[in-house]
Amino acid sequence: MKLVVIDGQSGRVGALQVERVRAAGLPLELLAQRGATGENPVLVACRDADIIAGPIGILMADALMGEITPAMAVAVGQSRAQKVLLPVNSNCGKIVVGVRDLTLSQIMDEAVEVLRKLCGLSAQPL
């Protein structure tokens, strides 16, 4: 299965997610490893992704301090891929209500468990 990790700004969230997926040994092809940046690589990667992961802002035009273009948000939203969205409340004017206040590390732990289930693997203790 192909996992596309989308991030912006410093790339810290995406880098941490890739690190955690690798450490978990999940049977996923990580397209983020290739390090492409910008709108067109996101549009192309979303076409045949099985899973797209990243901050919830990847579904919102102008999110991540303007790095998510309208075309990118549409490509993510219309992709047939399962979306694993991280509820990261940031300084971009988007607040996700109804979620627990977790550290980035805790969010990544939960995201890896979701990916593990999508790969058909049994859960690991957190």
Side-chain angles (χ1 to χ4, degrees):
M1 287 198 302
K2 294 180 184 178
L3 170 63
V4 173
V5 176
I6 301 173
D7 192 10
Q9 301 167 353
S10 67
R12 179 174 170 246
V13 172
L16 182 57
Q17 192 158 34
V18 168
E19 176 185 312
R20 293 287 184 94
V21 168
R22 283 183 180 161
L26 300 179
L28 295 167
E29 178 186 354
L30 291 165
L31 297 183
Q33 289 175 276
R34 299 179 188 154
T37 61
E39 181 180 85
N40 200 56
V42 169
L43 303 182
V44 172
C46 286
R47 289 181 197 151
D48 66 349
D50 296 303
I51 304 169
I52 297 172
I56 196 167
I58 63 176
L59 289 173
M60 299 174 216
D62 299 331
L64 303 178
M65 298 179 68
E67 292 188 48
I68 302 299
T69 66
M72 291 164 78
V74 168
V76 172
Q78 291 182 345
S79 173
R80 65 170 184 77
Q82 180 71 45
K83 282 77 169 179
V84 178
L85 302 171
L86 308 175
V88 179
N89 289 328
S90 64
N91 60 356
C92 296
K94 279 93 176 147
I95 298 171
V96 180
V97 297
V99 297
R100 299 173 311 200
D101 188 20
L102 301 174
T103 66
L104 184 55
S105 182
Q106 291 168 320
I107 290 170
M108 288 302 162
D109 289 341
E110 289 194 12
V112 168
E113 286 310 308
V114 168
L115 292 169
R116 186 183 307 283
K117 289 176 187 174
L118 288 174
C119 291
L121 303 173
S122 61
Q124 296 289 317
L126 292 178

